[in-house]
Amino acid sequence: MSLYGALFAGVSGLAAQSSAMGAISDNITNVNTIGYKGTKVNFQTLVTKQTSLTAYSPGGVQSKPRAGIDIQGLLQATSSATDIGLSGQGFFVVNEAAHPQDGDMFAYTRAGSFKVDSEGYLQNVSGWFMQGWTLMGWDNSTQASKVTVGNDVYMKAYKDDSGDTSYINDNIVSATHLRPLNMNEVGGTASQTRNLRMGANLPNGAEVGDLFKQPVTIYDSLGGDATVQFTWEKIAQNRWDVEGIPPEGAKSMHLKKDSSTIYSAMGRLDFNGLPQTTGSMTMAINGTTYTFETDTGTDGATAGTFYTNPSSAANTGAFVDSLAADVNKAFQLEYNSLYNDVGAAIGAGNLLNISVNGTTYNFNSAAELDGLTAASAATALNSNTTFSSLGLKAANQGNRLYVYSEDAMSFTMLGTSTGDFASWTNSSTTTTAAVPVTKTTDGITYAERLAGTNSMIFRQRDATDDLVVAGLDTLDLSDGNPATKQGQDITNSDTFTVSAINITGGTSEDAIEFNGDGTPKEINVAYADIDWANGSEDMSGTDSIGVFLGNLNLSDGMTQLNGAYQLAYWSQNGAKFGNFAGVSIGTDGIVTALFDNGVTRPVFQIPVATFVNPNGMDSLTGNVFISTDNSGEPTLRTAGSAGAGSVNAASLEASTVDIGSEFTTMIVTQRAYSAAAKIITTADEMLDELVNIKR
């Protein structure tokens, strides 16, 4: 019956307008709610199938609320660095728990009014915790998702409860791949250097042998800063060598072409003071063990033994100079010498003839060698003007007379067919060689005191044997502390090794070879390993420092052009320990920790979740939304990319409610409600008239 239909149509009108009034009331009351998305109630007709052309069957109206979730609210500036707003599409990812467990719900919100709670976590006013990607220095793993900040490379990863590195899959919403940001933990951690980048111009007009030095700061795993000295040397046209001096507190530093190919290696000994007790430091050099006693004695009285007496040194630096001289002599004897077993004394009439560059020099009566012991003969030769002018030196080691050069050179020992000097032994191969003997080297392993320090450095040039330094724990100060910083290594206070060079081509290989246009043609240094003695983790293996010197055939790193040496850029990641002072947040969602020592370090990245149909999401208490079948699953994106909105720090997104529009709509809704009520009262009166017909 049409009257009943009209009555029910009026009822549907009351219900629909009541729904609209409910939405208006929510909108008005949330006009100041951060990130609130206003709801608009639309209406659709309810149609009853018309079965007669002469009568109308009313249906009524039905309300269809629609939340404008995809509508951008006005960004308003605030004074808090942790207030963040989104400009564009997307949502922040939050969870009801700081560290989500099974059953804890992930949700999405535009309400970026985050503050630090009592435990240091970022929590918004509705109690939801920020979730995102924690950042660490890139460990050169191909499994890691990399993030480039400036010239530094980081990765999305974190340390799990076992201390193992967990790599983040940046498109999975789960407690395994999303982590909270805890401000209390930022200042308590330090980040070791994982990557170094250098761009500089090496002068094309430099002379062979010219040196250019570049000091660089790196950070160990304890947050300590140290200086690595890189030195570039021109060795030929378009060819340059580089060496890296280990930083203070390190035992060795290896520059590598890849994970296993060593280009160069250097060792270091840092002395805390003069040794106060008698100690025996040893070095296994080229397979031969040499001993360095901190005591009085005569060098060479015992084969392979040298004496450096700390009590006769004016200071620690002078002691290091003397020790370096002895170590250097051992290197020369091992790598660049010939020796002859003298026995008790040199027989009369024996000849010591040496050919240098085709000229033969005779040393017998001139050096008065007849009847001398090896020690006396070495002294006589070293005092001979002609002998020393040839760049040669002599030494005694246990009744062996050594002849060596401190430079890479060839010389031939010529002797008689019989007698003491009939044959000479090549010390580097320990084989008896027939005369004449020619000794050549590609380079010399040598030691020296680092200028202005109490440290000794030594270069490894051997391509076959490791250089092993031992006995550090025997060099003690009077208070029982180690005399060397290397002896403080908890894991190994006694020994360390400087590995042999194993790059193809050996010591003749170049660090960089340049093309004719000044771009790199070949680069043989890509990693650096540092063996620490200060308690921090060693930088080796998967933790090697990546060294970027540019791409081949491009001018994006090292170049060789005319002009002066010019550093274009140098950067490294890592950070030293400092008190946490606050954070800054970039438009890409990178959260950078600020320390009171001036260091900044990216620690976190805020992802932006986007949906195919954001208006299909369901809303929950707390101004958050969850995904549904209508909205589709979330896609996590970097802020500002692929359609995701950018992050704006110190700003909040205002409610999308226009209060003027809401009051206008309220008036219309009120009138519509009154009209619907009038339908009911009018239909009621008509029904009453119908009932009265019976009377």
Side-chain angles (χ1 to χ4, degrees):
M1 181 179 179
S2 295
L3 282 177
Y4 281 112
L7 189 65
F8 287 116
V11 171
S12 70
L14 292 177
Q17 300 306 325
S18 296
S19 178
M21 191 61 191
I24 293 169
S25 63
D26 261 358
N27 289 343
I28 293 175
T29 54
N30 284 283
V31 68
N32 290 320
T33 301
I34 299 301
Y36 178 79
K37 301 301 180 182
T39 299
K40 180 180 180 181
V41 176
N42 296 320
F43 301 94
Q44 68 177 11
T45 58
L46 289 176
V47 178
T48 301
K49 183 68 174 179
Q50 304 300 314
T51 58
S52 172
L53 296 178
T54 59
Y56 182 82
S57 297
V61 67
Q62 187 178 43
S63 62
K64 295 291 290 185
R66 179 185 182 276
I69 301 175
D70 60 348
I71 298 176
Q72 173 75 53
L74 177 67
L75 292 181
Q76 298 176 331
T78 71
S79 59
S80 174
T82 56
D83 283 343
I84 50 178
L86 280 174
S87 177
Q89 297 298 310
F91 302 85
F92 301 119
V93 183
V94 293
N95 196 284
E96 56 188 333
H99 278 283
Q101 304 295 325
D102 291 341
D104 292 327
M105 181 184 300
F106 281 95
Y108 311 91
T109 186
R110 303 272 296 196
S113 52
F114 290 97
K115 302 294 181 183
V116 180
D117 72 356
S118 59
E119 296 181 351
Y121 295 102
L122 280 186
Q123 185 182 37
N124 69 10
V125 294
S126 299
W128 294 81
F129 294 90
M130 167 68 73
Q131 303 290 311
W133 304 315
T134 51
L135 300 181
M136 297 174 55
W138 183 41
D139 61 2
N140 303 310
S141 170
T142 57
Q143 182 181 352
S145 178
K146 295 187 294 182
V147 177
T148 301
V149 181
N151 291 324
D152 299 324
V153 180
Y154 297 85
M155 65 179 181
K156 299 171 184 175
Y158 61 92
K159 294 288 187 180
D160 61 20
D161 293 338
S162 301
D164 298 325
T165 300
S166 292
Y167 299 102
I168 290 175
N169 185 323
D170 53 13
N171 200 33
I172 295 180
V173 179
S174 73
T176 303
H177 298 283
L178 289 174
R179 310 287 290 178
L181 174 59
N182 190 308
M183 296 298 189
N184 290 343
E185 296 177 355
V186 172
T189 60
S191 176
Q192 72 185 61
T193 296
R194 303 280 191 176
N195 294 280
L196 297 171
R197 296 173 62 90
M198 181 179 183
N201 182 60
L202 299 173
N204 179 58
E207 299 292 335
V208 172
D210 283 354
L211 303 176
F212 300 94
K213 297 183 178 181
Q214 184 62 55
V216 178
T217 299
I218 65 169
Y219 302 97
D220 60 33
S221 62
L222 298 177
D225 57 338
T227 300
V228 175
Q229 178 75 51
F230 286 90
T231 301
W232 294 94
E233 178 182 4
K234 188 171 185 178
I235 56 176
Q237 188 61 47
N238 294 340
R239 297 174 181 270
W240 291 78
D241 186 22
V242 67
E243 69 175 16
I245 296 178
E248 183 178 358
K251 296 184 288 189
S252 67
M253 180 172 179
H254 297 79
L255 300 180
K256 302 190 299 185
K257 180 179 181 179
D258 52 44
S259 59
S260 60
T261 304
I262 299 174
Y263 171 76
S264 71
M266 295 185 68
R268 178 164 179 159
L269 283 171
D270 298 303
F271 282 84
N272 294 318
L274 289 170
Q276 301 296 310
T277 59
T278 300
S280 298
M281 185 180 74
T282 63
M283 286 191 182
I285 304 172
N286 195 35
T288 302
T289 299
Y290 289 84
T291 303
F292 303 89
E293 300 280 357
T294 55
D295 199 358
T296 57
T298 302
D299 290 347
T302 302
T305 302
F306 297 87
Y307 295 87
T308 305
N309 186 8
S311 62
S312 62
N315 49 49
T316 304
F319 168 77
V320 174
D321 278 331
S322 299
L323 179 62
D326 285 343
V327 172
N328 204 39
K329 183 179 289 187
F331 286 146
Q332 308 302 335
L333 297 182
E334 192 61 35
Y335 288 111
N336 211 29
S337 70
L338 300 175
Y339 69 82
N340 189 289
D341 289 308
V342 172
I346 298 174
N350 279 278
L351 302 176
L352 175 58
N353 296 332
I354 305 174
S355 176
V356 180
N357 296 328
T359 301
T360 300
Y361 300 87
N362 178 273
F363 299 94
N364 46 18
S365 60
E368 300 178 355
L369 300 180
D370 291 348
L372 298 181
T373 64
S376 300
T379 301
L381 286 171
N382 287 330
S383 63
N384 184 273
T385 303
T386 303
F387 185 84
S388 60
S389 68
L390 296 174
L392 299 175
K393 289 191 176 183
N396 165 56
Q397 287 289 316
N399 292 328
R400 282 180 174 174
L401 178 62
Y402 284 82
V403 176
Y404 66 92
S405 169
E406 290 185 337
D407 298 317
M409 63 173 289
S410 299
F411 57 94
T412 304
M413 306 302 296
L414 302 174
T416 60
S417 59
T418 60
D420 292 331
F421 298 136
S423 63
W424 289 78
T425 300
N426 182 334
S427 64
S428 65
T429 59
T430 63
T431 60
T432 301
V435 291
V437 175
T438 300
K439 170 62 178 170
T440 62
T441 61
D442 292 326
I444 308 165
T445 303
Y446 62 98
E448 63 183 345
R449 177 188 172 195
L450 189 60
T453 70
N454 293 329
S455 304
M456 183 179 72
I457 58 172
F458 38 92
R459 295 163 173 83
Q460 165 71 293
R461 297 289 180 88
D462 191 19
T464 56
D465 289 293
D466 295 339
L467 177 65
V468 181
V469 183
L472 296 175
D473 56 352
T474 68
L475 306 179
D476 294 330
L477 300 173
S478 57
D479 59 3
N481 292 321
T484 66
K485 293 183 180 180
Q486 286 74 9
Q488 297 175 355
D489 189 344
I490 298 175
T491 59
N492 192 344
S493 62
D494 176 38
T495 306
F496 67 92
T497 299
V498 185
S499 301
I501 309 303
N502 64 358
I503 190 170
T504 302
T507 55
S508 63
E509 191 63 83
D510 311 313
I512 296 184
E513 179 181 354
F514 288 98
N515 295 308
D517 62 357
T519 60
K521 178 181 180 181
E522 179 183 0
I523 299 177
N524 285 318
V525 175
Y527 298 94
D529 284 3
I530 298 179
D531 183 8
W532 290 103
N534 61 2
S536 61
E537 295 179 355
D538 292 337
M539 297 175 175
S540 60
T542 57
D543 288 335
S544 295
I545 300 175
V547 179
F548 176 81
L549 300 177
N551 292 296
L552 299 182
N553 305 313
L554 294 176
S555 300
D556 58 351
M558 301 301 297
T559 60
Q560 182 192 252
L561 301 170
N562 287 328
Y565 172 79
Q566 181 67 50
L567 179 67
Y569 65 85
W570 183 274
S571 65
Q572 76 287 317
N573 60 6
K576 66 185 297 183
F577 177 80
N579 293 317
F580 176 62
V583 295
S584 66
I585 302 175
T587 57
D588 55 0
I590 298 290
V591 179
T592 301
L594 310 177
F595 298 88
D596 58 6
N597 54 10
V599 174
T600 62
R601 176 166 57 94
V603 294
F604 194 80
Q605 186 169 23
I606 300 171
V608 175
T610 61
F611 293 84
V612 175
N613 176 28
N615 291 326
M617 302 171 72
D618 277 349
S619 60
L620 300 178
T621 300
N623 203 10
V624 297
F625 306 91
I626 59 174
S627 61
T628 66
D629 290 340
N630 290 330
S631 67
E633 292 300 314
T635 299
L636 298 186
R637 305 184 190 277
T638 299
S641 68
S646 59
V647 175
N648 292 266
S651 64
L652 292 173
E653 183 179 0
S655 169
T656 58
V657 174
D658 181 350
I659 194 167
S661 176
E662 294 300 320
F663 278 124
T664 301
T665 305
M666 182 187 296
I667 295 172
V668 174
T669 301
Q670 181 182 7
R671 292 302 182 186
Y673 188 89
S674 298
K678 193 64 175 177
I679 292 173
I680 295 174
T681 57
T682 301
D684 178 58
E685 291 175 357
M686 292 175 68
L687 285 172
D688 188 53
E689 289 295 330
L690 182 61
V691 171
N692 287 336
I693 293 174
K694 180 71 169 77
R695 296 177 185 171

